[in-house]
Amino acid sequence: MNSYKENLKQIKQLLKKNDAKIIAHYYVNETIQKITEDTNGCVSDSLQMAKFGINQKESCLIVAGVKFMGETAKILNPEKKVYVLDIEATCSLDLSCPADEFSEFCKQYPDREVVVYANTSADVKSIADWVVTSSMAVPLITHLTSQGKKIIWAPDKYLGNYIIDRTGADMILWDGSCIVHEEYKTQSLKKMIQKYQDCDILVHPESPRSIIQLADTVGSTTDLIKASKKSNHKYIIVATEKNIFYQMKKLSPNKIFLEAPTEGEGATCKSCGKCPWMEMNSVQKILNVFNKKNEIILDKNIISKAKIPINKMVSFQSNQLTNRAS
Ligand code: CIZ
């Protein structure tokens, strides 16, 4: 097996030869995150991943994450070649929402705005009015609600319920869930909080309501990383994919990071806090990525339709940042 240094050297050469840059999600393993940083790529959430790609001069993007992230990169950069490390690496939310079924569902509510989570296929995005990431969901739905809009939300029912709780929006929810976040266990988490009293509890909003209710901070991956840095507590209990610990530990080497429990009452441990599809990303696959079977190919028509709701999200976020600054 090659050392980190040898792998990095080979990957740098490969990127140069193929005019490529790596974009990685916080949920891929630590070594891939490190390689991405050491090759001036971007490690972030899916919104920042999508935006980063647009500003790169390279003609080729390698997405370390899951398929919908590669598709979003392709939609925003149709002139670039976009590769994923494993085309089979998908997402339970994406799988739970097939475009044809979702389209039929939407037809039943023609007066509603269709808002979909980033964790969906390009086909589903192409029939949406808006795409949002978890960092944008509450502000966007607050905005739409203030305009008197009623909403169809897909696919994550837990995130949907969290948004309703926060905004009072009138939303009809698709019945999807993330197999990682769905598994956190309330009673076991309560016991853990009792054991580690000097703790902060950080929860991703794809988690069930009873877990969210125990949180000190609820937010996107980026929000949770920031909260972990800001915390004055010794123990940080985290309810999201555990590969995020790499970024958190870098920012706070003296804090102790603990995974929220997935064992306990009714546990099935399908995921045990680890996304099986994110796990399909590996360093070896970066070395072999330039292969037709890993390339994201999308229909031009789908690209032009899916681009509209994604660009609306990007503009909405930019306006928010401008308003905050002024
Ligand atoms: O949008 C993303 O990157 C995901 C999947 C989670 C998050 O909260 O950032």
Side-chain angles (χ1 to χ4, degrees):
M1 216 166 93
N2 282 351
S3 68
Y4 179 80
K5 245 175 130 178
E6 282 159 15
N7 280 331
L8 182 63
K9 190 173 162 212
Q10 281 187 37
I11 290 169
K12 279 185 175 169
Q13 287 166 351
L14 193 71
L15 295 178
K16 194 163 178 212
K17 184 170 161 223
N18 291 279
D19 192 29
K21 197 130 234 190
I22 309 176
I23 307 176
H25 196 269
Y26 295 130
Y27 291 164
V28 295
N29 74 47
E30 183 172 324
T31 315
I32 297 179
Q33 293 191 47
K34 198 164 164 8
I35 283 174
T36 306
E37 291 167 343
D38 290 345
T39 55
N40 297 320
C42 162
V43 182
S44 63
D45 61 26
S46 65
L47 175 60
Q48 293 311 320
M49 284 168 81
K51 286 169 69 178
F52 179 86
I54 302 173
N55 298 319
Q56 300 316 300
K57 62 173 183 11
E58 283 79 1
S59 58
C60 191
L61 300 173
I62 299 172
V63 174
V66 293
K67 192 174 171 190
F68 79 80
M69 295 171 182
E71 290 185 341
T72 304
K74 182 69 185 175
I75 292 163
L76 293 178
N77 300 278
E79 72 297 345
K80 297 190 187 205
K81 278 188 175 288
V82 176
Y83 292 88
V84 287
L85 300 190
D86 192 320
I87 202 84
E88 302 294 325
T90 180
C91 159
S92 49
L93 287 166
D94 182 349
L95 288 176
S96 77
C97 192
D100 48 353
E101 284 175 36
F102 184 57
S103 170
E104 288 307 308
F105 180 76
C106 294
K107 281 184 195 151
Q108 294 172 48
Y109 310 101
D111 59 330
R112 285 177 180 261
E113 204 79 357
V114 179
V115 185
V116 302
Y117 194 27
N119 302 37
T120 45
S121 66
D123 289 355
V124 166
K125 289 183 175 87
S126 75
I127 50 177
D129 298 307
W130 290 89
V131 171
V132 286
T133 55
S134 47
S135 55
M136 294 311 311
V138 169
L140 178 76
I141 301 290
T142 303
H143 167 73
L144 295 178
T145 302
S146 73
Q147 296 183 328
K149 302 254 166 71
K150 293 191 283 181
I151 291 146
I152 294 174
W153 168 263
D156 192 310
K157 62 182 172 189
Y158 296 114
L159 179 53
N161 276 320
Y162 171 69
I163 298 167
I164 294 173
D165 291 347
R166 287 284 307 273
T167 65
D170 181 339
M171 303 210 305
I172 291 180
L173 308 182
W174 183 259
D175 186 14
S177 58
C178 161
I179 62 164
V180 175
H181 295 94
E182 189 170 38
E183 284 197 339
Y184 294 118
K185 294 285 177 279
T186 314
Q187 295 314 320
S188 307
L189 179 56
K190 282 184 182 163
K191 281 186 202 148
M192 197 170 185
I193 295 168
Q194 287 212 315
K195 183 171 169 193
Y196 300 98
Q197 305 237 327
D198 182 13
C199 73
D200 243 334
I201 301 120
L202 313 184
V203 173
H204 194 279
E206 289 172 28
S207 308
R209 186 185 268 130
S210 58
I211 298 291
I212 289 179
Q213 282 167 347
L214 297 172
D216 295 301
T217 301
V218 182
S220 67
T221 48
T222 303
D223 294 333
L224 299 186
I225 290 169
K226 284 186 192 150
S228 72
K229 182 176 177 215
K230 212 165 147 207
S231 173
N232 293 320
H233 293 275
K234 177 173 177 192
Y235 296 102
I236 312 287
I237 301 177
V238 184
T240 198
E241 223 282 353
K242 56 192 170 197
N243 281 319
I244 201 171
F245 283 15
Y246 168 65
Q247 298 293 335
M248 292 180 169
K249 283 180 183 163
K250 257 198 326 184
L251 294 170
S252 307
N254 296 324
K255 290 177 192 155
I256 298 174
F257 291 90
L258 303 166
E259 294 163 33
T262 51
E263 70 285 352
E265 78 281 11
T268 52
C269 207
K270 278 189 228 142
S271 72
C272 301
K274 264 209 166 312
C275 172
W277 295 288
M278 287 288 179
E279 282 296 285
M280 290 166 78
N281 290 272
S282 68
V283 173
Q284 197 52 41
K285 287 179 185 171
I286 303 181
L287 290 165
N288 295 311
V289 69
F290 293 107
N291 184 321
K292 260 276 158 248
K293 72 175 181 11
N294 296 327
E295 189 179 347
I296 298 283
I297 308 282
L298 293 173
D299 185 280
K300 281 204 178 88
N301 191 29
I302 294 290
I303 291 183
S304 64
K305 285 186 181 157
K307 199 174 213 157
I308 298 168
I310 298 175
N311 280 337
K312 278 165 77 177
M313 162 176 70
V314 173
S315 307
F316 180 80
Q317 195 215 19
S318 303
N319 289 340
Q320 273 214 316
L321 294 175
T322 314
N323 291 343
R324 242 180 259 155
S326 60

